C-alpha cells in the first residue's frame, strides 16, 4: 500500500507545519445569544420544531446538569470553562434543498474540498446521483455546525429499510423509536457533560437498521465545528435490530480558533440479538498551537449496549486532534455471548492532553471483550489510558484481553496507563499486557540508511506500531488515518 | 585523484556517558570504482564505527579528516542523501521494525531512492515481482516479504534480508559489516553470490569480515587491517589468507 507516498504528499501539501484545515467558512449564521438558560433550551427546541416530550426531556436534563459539577478526576488541566459565554445554537441560513451542484453554496463546496471530501461525495451531498463503483458506497450525513446540511443515499437506504437521518429529523419523523431508546444507554444524568448535551444537543445522527438487514453501505458523518464560540453538542443514536448490522464512520476536522471550544457529544449504540455495530472514528480537531492555545476541548460520552445474545459492538478510533480529550467509548455486555471491542490510537503532540480509554462491563454469561490501545506521545504532551474491565457476578465464563502499548517520541512527554480490573466472578479470565517503548535512534537510522526521510521513517514506525488498530478501520479511513498520524507528529523528532 | 571513495585522516568520537571517546584515529582509505576491498581487524578496532560514520550516523562525531564519494563531501550529507547517492550499509546487527511489513518497507525505500535519483517509482505489482525474484535468488522463503522487518528473523534470515535490500536498492557502493557472521556454508555462498551479482565496473564494496571463507567466493582486490582506529596495513588477497592462518597478533606487534 502506498501509504507513505500518500503521507509524503500530504505532508508536502502542508508546506509549513500549520494546521491544514484551519480555515473558516463565511456562511451567514442564524445564532442564538450567548448563555444557557431555560429560554435558550426552549428556543433550540422550537427551532428544531420538536414535540413537547422532547422539550420536557431537555428541561429535565438541564435541571440535572445544574445540580452537577464538572468532573476533575481525569489527568488533564485546562482553564475553567464559562458555560454562559458560549452560543448554544447556530445554523447556516436555511435555503430550499439544492437540486443540483450549481445550487449548492459554493462556499460550502469549497469547505468540503478543503476537508478533502472526494468530489463524488460532494456530489452526493448535493443529492446528485452517482453510478455505483466497485467499492462499497459511502453515505454522508454532513453536520455543518448544528444543522445537517445534506443527507445522501437516502433512497438506497430507504429501500433496505434503514433510517439514517439527522437526529432532529428523527425526533419529528420517528418519535416512537427515538423516545424508546434516547437516553437508555447514556442517561442524561450519567455525567456532567452528558447532562449538558441532553439539555442542548442540536444535531447528530440517527440510525435504525431493522431486523435481519445488513446495511448496504457504510454510513459516514463529517463533523465540523464552524461558528465562533459555538459549543458542539451532537447526539447520535444507533439502534440495530436482531441479526442486522451496520458500519458507521465518524470523521472530523475543524477551523483554526483563538478561543477554546467545547465539544461534548453523546453517542448511544443499541445492539439486539446477533446484531453487530462497528463504529469507527478518525478525530482530528484543532489541537491548538504549539503552546496549546486555541484548541478544542473534547468531552465525549460514547457507550454501546449489547442487549441481545451474541451481539457485537466494536469501537475503533484514531484520535490525533483536540487540545484536551476526555473520552471513554464503552460497552455494556448484557446479552449472553456478546462481544465488545475497543481499538484505539491516541496521538498527542505539543501541549495536547488526552485522558482516554474504555469500559467493558460484563453482565452476561460468556461475554468477551478485547481492548487494544496504542498511545503515542510527542512534544510536551501528556496521555493517559484509563481502562475499566468489570465482570459482574452473573458473567460466568467472561473473558477480557487488554493490550496497552505506549510509544514515546522525545523525552518531554508523558504516557500513563491506569487499568481498573474488577472481577466478581471466579470463572472470568482477564489478561492485561502493557508495554512502553521509544522510537529508537537505531530504527530511525536504519530507515534513513535505506533512503527514507526522518519524517517518513517516523511515519512508518508509528504506523507499524498502530497496525493492529489501523487494520480494524474500513479501508478508506485507514488511509486517511495513516496520513493523520504522520501529519500530527510532524516536527516531533530531530 | 578523481577517486570513487576517498577517506583521509578520518577521526571520530562518541559521547560515552558524558566522556568523549575517540574511536577512529585517522583512517586513510581509497577505493577505486569496480573494486572489492576488505577490512579485517580485531574486535573493537573501529570497523563498525567506520561504516556508521560513512553512512551518516549522527552519534559519531567526526573531529577531523574527510570522506568524499564521487568527489562529493560525504560527511556533509544526510543519511538518506547518502543512500540516494548510492551508498548502502548492510548492518552487522539488522534492526527490527515491529508492525512494519517487510515488502512495504522495501518498496517505500526503493521508491524513495528512485525518486531521489530521478527514476520512476515502481507500482505495487512491478515491485512485488522484482522483490519476489530477488528473494528467490537468495533462497529466501516467500513469506519473508510478508513478515515484519527483521522481527523474529533468525540471524541468517536477517543477513539475507540485508542482501535482499541491497539487491533492490542497487547501490554503487556497499558496505557489508560482518554479513557472513553466523552463516552456514550454504548461506555464505548464497550471500556471496548476491554480492557478486552486483559487481560491475561502477560498483565497489567494502567488506568487513573475519573469515577467509567469504573471500574465497568474493575474490577481493585489496585487504586492509584495522587496529585501534587506524588502517595499519594493506595488501593483496594473500594478506587475508595469512591472517586467517596466523591471526592478528603478529601484525599488531609489528606496528606497535
Ligand atoms: N555507541 C557507542 N558507545 C560507546 N562506545 C562505543 C559505541 N560504539 C562503539 N564504541 C566503542 O568503540 C570501539 C569500536 O567499536 P566498533 O566500531 O564496533 O568495533 P568493531 O566493529 O571493529 O568490532 C569499541 O571499543 C566500542 O566499544
Ligand atoms: Mg563490528
Amino acid at each position: 500500500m502506498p501509504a507513505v507516498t500518500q503521507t509524503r504528499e500530504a505532508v508536502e501539501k502542508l508546506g509549513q507545519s500549520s494546521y491544514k484545515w484551519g480555515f473558516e467558512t463565511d456562511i451567514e449564521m442564524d445564532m442564538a445569544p450567548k448563555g444557557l438558560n431555560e429560554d435558550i433550551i426552549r428556543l433550540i427546541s422550537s427551532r428544531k420544531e420538536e414535540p413537547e416530550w422532547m422539550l420536557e426531556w431537555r428541561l429535565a436534563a438541564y435541571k440535572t446538569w445544574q445540580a452537577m459539577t464538572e468532573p476533575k478526576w481525569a489527568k488533564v488541566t485546562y482553564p475553567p470553562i464559562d458555560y454562559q459565554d458560549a452560543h448554544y445554537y447556530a445554523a447556516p441560513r436555511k435555503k430550499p434543498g439544492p437540486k443540483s451542484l450549481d445550487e449548492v453554496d459554493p462556499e460550502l463546496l469549497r469547505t468540503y474540498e478543503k476537508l478533502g471530501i472526494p468530489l463524488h461525495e460532494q456530489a452526493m451531498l448535493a443529492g446528485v446521483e452517482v453510478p455505483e463503483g466497485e467499492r462499497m458506497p459511502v453515505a454522508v450525513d454532513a453536520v455543518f455546525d448544528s444543522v445537517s446540511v445534506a443527507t445522501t443515499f437516502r433512497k438506497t437506504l430507504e429501500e433496505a429499510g434503514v433510517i439514517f437521518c439527522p437526529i432532529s429529523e428523527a425526533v419529528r419523523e420517528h418519535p416512537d423509536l427515538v423516545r424508546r431508546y434516547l437516553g437508555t444507554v447514556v442517561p442524561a444524568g450519567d455525567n456532567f457533560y452528558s447532562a449538558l448535551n441532553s439539555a442542548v444537543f442540536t444535531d447528530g445522527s440517527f440510525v435504525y437498521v431493522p431486523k435481519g438487514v445488513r446495511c448496504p453501505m457504510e454510513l459516514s458523518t463529517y463533523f465540523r465545528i464552524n461558528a465562533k464560540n459555538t459549543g458542539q453538542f451532537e447526539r447520535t443514536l444507533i439502534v440495530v435490530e436482531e441479526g442486522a448490522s451496520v458500519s458507521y464512520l465518524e470523521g472530523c476536522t475543524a477551523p483554526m480558533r483563538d478561543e477554546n471550544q467545547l465539544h461534548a457529544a453523546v453517542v448511544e449504540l443499541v445492539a439486539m440479538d446477533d446484531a453487530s455495530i462497528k463504529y469507527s472514528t478518525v478525530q482530528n480537531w484543532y489541537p491548538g498551537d504549539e503552546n496549546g492555545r486555541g484548541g478544542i476541548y473534547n468531552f465525549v460520552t460514547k457507550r454501546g449496549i449489547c442487549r441481545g445474545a451474541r451481539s457485537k459492538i466494536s469501537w475503533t478510533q484514531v484520535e490525533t486532534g483536540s487540545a484536551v480529550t476526555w473520552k471513554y467509548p464503552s460497552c455494556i455486555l448484557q446479552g449472553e455471548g456478546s462481544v465488545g471491542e475497543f481499538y484505539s490510537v491516541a496521538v498527542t503532540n505539543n501541549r495536547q492532553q488526552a485522558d482516554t480509554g474504555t469500559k467493558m462491563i460484563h453482565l452476561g454469561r460468556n461475554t468477551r471483550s478485547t481492548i487494544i490501545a496504542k498511545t503515542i506521545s510527542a512534544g510536551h504532551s501528556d496521555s493517559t489510558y484509563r481502562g475499566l474491565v468489570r465482570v459482574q457476578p452473573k458473567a460466568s465464563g467472561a473473558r477480557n484481553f487488554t493490550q496497552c502499548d505506549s510509544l514515546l517520541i522525545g523525552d518531554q512527554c508523558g504516557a500513563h496507563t491506569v487499568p481498573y480490573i474488577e472481577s466478581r466472578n471466579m470463572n472470568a479470565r482477564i489478561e492485561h499486557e502493557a508495554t512502553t517503548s521509544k522510537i529508537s535512534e537505531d530504527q530511525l537510522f536504519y530507515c534513513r540508511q535505506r533512503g527514507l526521510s526522518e519524517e517518513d521513517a517516523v511515519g512508518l514506525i508509528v504506523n507499524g506500531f498502530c497496525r493492529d488498530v489501523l487494520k480494524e478501520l474500513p479501508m478508506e479511513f485507514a488511509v486517511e488515518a495513516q496520513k493523520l498520524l504522520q501529519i500530527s507528529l510532524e516536527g516531533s523528532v530531530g | 585523484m578523481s577517486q570513487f571513495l576517498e577517506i583521509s585522516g578520518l577521526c571520530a568520537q562518541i559521547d560515552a556517558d558524558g566522556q568523549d571517546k575517540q574511536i577512529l584515529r585517522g583512517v586513510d582509505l581509497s577505493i577505486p570504482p569496480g573494486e572489492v576491498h576488505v577490512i579485517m581487524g580485531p574486535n573493537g578496532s573501529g570497523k563498525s564505527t567506520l561504516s556508521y560514520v560513512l553512512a551518516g550516523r549522527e552519534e559519531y562525531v567526526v573531529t577531523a579528516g574527510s570522506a568524499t564519494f564521487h568527489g562529493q563531501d560525504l560527511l556533509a550529507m544526510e543519511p538518506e542523501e547518502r543512500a540516494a547517492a548510492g551508498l548502502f550499509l548492510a548492518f552487522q546487527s539488522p534492526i527490527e521494525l515491529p508492525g512494519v511489513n517487510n515488502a512495504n518497507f522495501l518498496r517505500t525505500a526503493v521508491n524513495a531512492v528512485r525518486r531521489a535519483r530521478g527514476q520512476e517509482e515502481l507500482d505495487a505489482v512491478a515491485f512485488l515481482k522484482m522483490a519476489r525474484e530477488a528473494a528467490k535468488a537468495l533462497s529466501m522463503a516467500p513469506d519473508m516479504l510478508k513478515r515484519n522487518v527483521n522481527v523474529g528473523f533468525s540471524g541468517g534470515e536477517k543477513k539475507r534480508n540485508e542482501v535482499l535490500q541491497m539487491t533492490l536498492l542497487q547501490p554503487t557502493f556497499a558496505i557489508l559489516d560482518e554479513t557472513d557472521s553466523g552463516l552456514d556454508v550454504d548461506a555464505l555462498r548464497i550471500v556471496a553470490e548476491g554480492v557478486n551479482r552486483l559487481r560491475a565496473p561502477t560498483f565497489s564494496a567494502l567488506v568487513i569480515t573475519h573469515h577467509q571463507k567469504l573471500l574465497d567466493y568474493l575474490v577481493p582486490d585489496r585487504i586492509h587491517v584495522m587496529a585501534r582506529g587506524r588502517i595499519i596495513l594493506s595488501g593483496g588477497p594473500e594478506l587475508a589468507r595469512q591472517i586467517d592462518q596466523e591471526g592478528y597478533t603478529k601484525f599488531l606487534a609489528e606496528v606497535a
Side-chain angles (χ1 to χ4, degrees), chain A residues 277-340:
Chain A
I277 303 176
K278 186 175 174 63
Y279 193 105
S280 314
T281 308
V282 170
Q283 188 272 111
N284 182 31
W285 282 326
Y286 183 54
D289 62 17
E290 44 293 22
N291 299 311
R293 266 194 308 264
I296 303 280
Y297 292 175
N298 189 23
F299 303 120
V300 187
T301 307
K302 288 182 165 176
R303 192 176 302 154
I305 182 165
C306 284
R307 276 211 198 161
R310 298 165 305 277
S311 56
K312 176 177 172 181
I313 288 178
S314 181
W315 299 100
T316 306
Q317 59 175 32
V318 175
E319 303 267 331
T320 64
S322 300
V324 180
T325 302
W326 182 98
K327 180 178 176 186
Y328 317 89
S330 306
C331 296
I332 299 168
L333 303 171
Q334 184 181 51
E336 188 171 335
S338 60
V339 175

Side-chain angles (χ1 to χ4, degrees), chain A residues 5 29-30 41 76 128 150 213 255 257 265 279 304 315 322 335 346 413 450 460-461 473:
Chain A
T5 315
M29 290 283 174
D30 170 11
I41 292 168
V76 293
V128 174
V213 173
R257 288 287 161 209
Y279 193 105
W315 299 100
S322 300
C413 54
R450 298 317 187 228
L460 198 74
I461 293 164
L473 284 174

Side-chain angles (χ1 to χ4, degrees), chain A residues 143-360:
Chain A
V143 175
F144 186 82
D145 264 333
S146 309
V147 168
S148 287
V149 177
T151 302
T152 55
F153 265 108
R154 276 280 175 87
K155 230 178 97 215
T156 320
L157 292 174
E158 256 165 35
E159 278 162 15
V162 175
I163 302 169
F164 176 38
C165 67
I167 190 112
S168 51
E169 188 182 315
V171 168
R172 293 189 302 266
E173 311 279 324
H174 311 281
D176 294 345
L177 279 175
V178 175
R179 223 175 157 174
R180 194 181 318 154
Y181 295 106
L182 190 74
T184 59
V185 192
V186 180
D190 185 80
N191 64 71
F192 182 82
Y193 305 111
S194 66
L196 179 61
N197 175 288
S198 301
V200 301
F201 73 88
T202 43
D203 229 312
S205 299
F206 175 70
V207 176
Y208 179 80
V209 188
K211 192 171 164 177
V213 173
R214 246 190 95 230
C215 185
M217 64 187 68
E218 290 182 326
L219 305 180
S220 159
T221 301
Y222 289 88
F223 286 94
R224 182 167 173 78
I225 298 175
N226 204 267
K228 208 161 182 120
N229 289 334
T230 306
Q232 284 278 298
F233 303 95
E234 281 110 11
R235 185 93 195 184
T236 292
L237 174 60
I238 300 177
V239 179
V240 178
E241 294 282 11
E242 202 181 316
S245 67
V246 72
S247 170
Y248 186 89
L249 321 181
E250 170 201 44
C252 47
T253 59
M256 201 172 270
R257 288 287 161 209
D258 298 320
E259 286 156 72
N260 291 305
Q261 285 187 299
L262 173 66
H263 185 97
V266 171
V267 176
E268 298 179 279
L269 312 181
V270 181
M272 304 303 186
D273 283 357
D274 299 295
S276 108
I277 303 176
K278 186 175 174 63
Y279 193 105
S280 314
T281 308
V282 170
Q283 188 272 111
N284 182 31
W285 282 326
Y286 183 54
D289 62 17
E290 44 293 22
N291 299 311
R293 266 194 308 264
I296 303 280
Y297 292 175
N298 189 23
F299 303 120
V300 187
T301 307
K302 288 182 165 176
R303 192 176 302 154
I305 182 165
C306 284
R307 276 211 198 161
R310 298 165 305 277
S311 56
K312 176 177 172 181
I313 288 178
S314 181
W315 299 100
T316 306
Q317 59 175 32
V318 175
E319 303 267 331
T320 64
S322 300
V324 180
T325 302
W326 182 98
K327 180 178 176 186
Y328 317 89
S330 306
C331 296
I332 299 168
L333 303 171
Q334 184 181 51
E336 188 171 335
S338 60
V339 175
E341 294 174 340
F342 175 73
Y343 300 98
S344 166
V345 171
V347 181
T348 52
N349 198 357
N350 297 320
R351 299 275 170 183
Q352 280 177 277
Q353 306 170 62
D355 194 306
T356 95
T358 186
K359 291 182 216 164
M360 293 290 175

Side-chain angles (χ1 to χ4, degrees), chain B:
Chain B
M1 268 209 310
S2 71
Q3 283 293 10
F4 180 82
L5 184 82
E6 282 295 333
I7 303 167
S8 143
L10 192 62
C11 294
Q13 64 184 34
I14 194 156
D15 178 349
D17 300 321
Q19 298 258 298
D20 288 342
K21 180 173 176 181
Q22 190 78 26
I23 304 176
L24 300 184
R25 297 183 162 86
V27 175
D28 295 308
L29 182 64
S30 163
I31 303 178
E35 293 196 358
V36 169
H37 285 216
V38 173
I39 293 189
M40 304 180 92
N43 291 328
S45 56
K47 304 182 299 293
S48 292
T49 300
L50 176 64
S51 64
Y52 280 144
V53 169
L54 293 178
R57 182 138 194 179
E58 278 149 11
E59 287 95 317
Y60 296 92
V61 179
V62 175
T63 51
S66 66
T68 61
F69 184 46
H70 290 296
Q72 272 183 292
D73 180 3
L74 194 62
L75 303 178
M77 295 158 79
E78 296 292 331
E80 57 270 32
E81 292 171 338
R82 302 181 200 204
L87 185 147
F88 180 89
L89 168 61
F91 284 56
Q92 183 173 358
S93 314
I95 308 300
E96 298 184 1
L97 302 176
V100 180
N101 173 276
N102 204 20
N104 186 30
F105 174 68
L106 286 166
R107 187 157 89 90
T108 307
V110 166
N111 279 335
V113 300
R114 288 183 74 97
R115 235 183 354 257
R117 291 172 189 167
Q119 296 166 327
E120 213 179 300
E121 290 184 37
L122 295 175
D123 65 38
V125 178
F127 173 78
L128 263 185
K129 186 164 177 283
M130 195 174 98
R132 285 209 187 101
E133 275 164 19
K136 198 171 159 215
L138 293 165
S139 304
M140 290 170 74
D143 80 323
M144 301 281 290
L145 287 169
K146 293 185 198 146
R147 287 165 60 183
N148 293 339
V149 181
N150 294 327
V151 178
F153 285 23
S154 71
E157 285 171 334
K158 283 183 182 172
K159 297 303 175 81
R160 278 188 225 200
N161 200 38
E162 294 292 287
V163 178
L164 174 67
Q165 296 182 44
M166 179 177 74
T167 307
L168 295 172
L169 288 166
Q170 299 184 307
T172 52
F173 176 55
I175 307 168
L176 291 101
D177 190 356
E178 298 201 25
T179 305
D180 56 337
S181 299
L183 293 185
D184 61 39
V185 261
D186 295 327
L188 191 73
R189 183 178 44 77
I190 290 163
V191 163
E193 283 168 4
V195 179
N196 280 334
R197 273 194 292 275
L198 287 176
R199 289 198 74 159
T202 51
F203 171 84
S204 298
L206 182 61
V207 178
I208 298 168
T209 182
H210 289 297
H211 309 292
Q212 173 59 34
K213 194 87 208 127
L214 177 68
L215 305 181
D216 289 344
Y217 294 112
L218 282 186
V219 198
D221 297 284
R222 295 285 290 170
I223 311 292
H224 309 278
V225 178
M226 190 167 196
R228 286 181 231 107
R230 266 192 210 102
I231 305 287
I232 55 160
L233 183 69
S234 299
E238 71 287 347
L239 183 57
R241 273 188 291 276
Q242 219 181 328
I243 289 170
D244 204 41
Q245 279 154 24
E246 302 171 23
Y248 295 116
T249 334
K250 177 187 154 201
F251 300 97
L252 296 179
E254 272 173 25
V255 294

